[in-house]
């Protein structure tokens, strides 16, 4: 409950910061006091278990500095760098804002804190409690790191509100690019990928991963994610944590499966076709209140524009299979 409450406050903060940046076109790096220079791509801090008032904490490793003894520091550094290089090399995007924003991370947040998050300005990692997440698991998982950093891109582009279908799309785009960063790092094709998010970070008794993109609802005991609109979970967005902001983590299984099916149908490396289509949809077509059907139609249109009718049909077929398009 402590982790949920903190995470809810953080999501409100990042939504406000994203809206300010989009509407006023402020430089987010300057606004939050972090440098934006080519010489300082990323920095990792130690929060020393002191919580929000001590963020970012004590600087431990700067850009191009060697590894240190603290593995959480090194993992946060490597994960942030891998995410930066993916967006640069695959989509020609210079950091989250497209303008070289320094990627700042803080590890050892709070006491046995069971979450990692993008707070609108930086990455924050708890150590895990050993009761839900394995201790140290949150910084070990590259797809979790890339997932959270992608929330920064979403807030600065589409600005998908964190509620119901727009919120589920917000979560799904983070899962999509979290998985793609992992696949790119491992050199995996769509057919070779496991399509899991957070594989191996839960206690083994709880399950194998946080989510399965290809097979929603199978990642852990009690996984409620649907993979088809027939099973969409219509929850209220009423500040009750059990309702998940109207089901944003639950219903993201539907667009997640659509992406995985599209990537498999298109073949090869998922970032080359499916990833390009979804990236363009997120950064150029979607708006804060976009619904599943709007996202589906945007990706279908973009597939036809970027590639050909066969790619367009493959993407449309994926959305049909999950019941979003008829």
């Amino acid at each position: 409950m402590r982790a949920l409450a903190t995470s809810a406050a953080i999501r409100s903060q990042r939504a406000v910061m994203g809206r300010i940046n989009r509407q006023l076109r402020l430089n987010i790096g300057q606004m939050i006091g972090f440098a934006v220079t080519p010489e300082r791509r990323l920095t990792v801090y130690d929060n020393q278990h002191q919580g929000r008032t001590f963020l970012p904490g004590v600087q431990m490793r700067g850009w191009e500095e060697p590894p240190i003894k603290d593995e959480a520091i090194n993992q946060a550094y490597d994960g942030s760098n891998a995410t930066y290089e993916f967006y640069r090399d695959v989509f020609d995007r210079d950091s989250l804002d497209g303008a070289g924003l320094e990627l700042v991370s803080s590890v050892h947040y709070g006491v046995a804190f069971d979450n990692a998050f993008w707070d609108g300005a930086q990455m924050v990692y708890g150590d895990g409690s050993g009761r839900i997440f394995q201790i140290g698991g949150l910084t070990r998982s590259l797809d979790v790191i890339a997932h959270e950093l992608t929330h920064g891109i979403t807030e600065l582009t589409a600005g998908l509100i964190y509620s119901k279908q727009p919120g589920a799309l917000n979560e799904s785009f983070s899962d999509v690019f979290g998985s793609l960063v992992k696949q790119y790092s491992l050199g995996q094709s769509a057919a070779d990928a496991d399509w899991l998010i957070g594989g191996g970070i839960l206690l083994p008794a709880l399950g194998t991963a946080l989510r399965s993109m290809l097979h929603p609802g199978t990642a852990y005991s009690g996984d409620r994610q649907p993979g088809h609109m027939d099973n969409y979970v219509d929850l209220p967005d009423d500040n009750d944590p059990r309702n998940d902001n109207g089901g944003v983590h639950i219903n993201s299984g539907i667009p997640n499966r659509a992406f995985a099916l599209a990537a498999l149908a298109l073949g090869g490396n998922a970032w080359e076709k499916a990833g390009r289509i979804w990236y363009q949809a997120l950064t150029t077509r979607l708006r804060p209140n976009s619904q599943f059907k709007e996202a589906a139609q945007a990706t279908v249109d973009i597939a036809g524009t970027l590639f050909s009718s066969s790619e367009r049909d493959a993407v449309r077929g994926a959305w049909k299979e999950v019941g979003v398009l008829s």
Side-chain angles (χ1 to χ4, degrees), residues 266 299-301 303-305 307-317:
L266 294 171
T299 58
V300 170
D301 293 344
T305 300
F307 301 107
S308 71
S309 59
S310 61
E311 285 83 359
R312 181 193 62 209
D313 292 344
V315 172
R316 182 185 288 116

Side-chain angles (χ1 to χ4, degrees), residues 3-4 12 23 51 54 62 73 81 88 95 119 124-125 149 158 163 178 184 213 219 232 252 254 264 266 304 312 319:
L4 287 169
S12 296
Q23 293 187 347
F54 192 62
I73 297 285
N81 192 45
R88 179 197 65 191
S95 192
D119 76 351
V124 180
Y125 302 90
L149 285 168
S163 177
Y184 183 77
M213 296 183 66
Y232 180 87
S252 62
I254 296 169
L264 289 167
L266 294 171
R312 181 193 62 209
W319 286 107

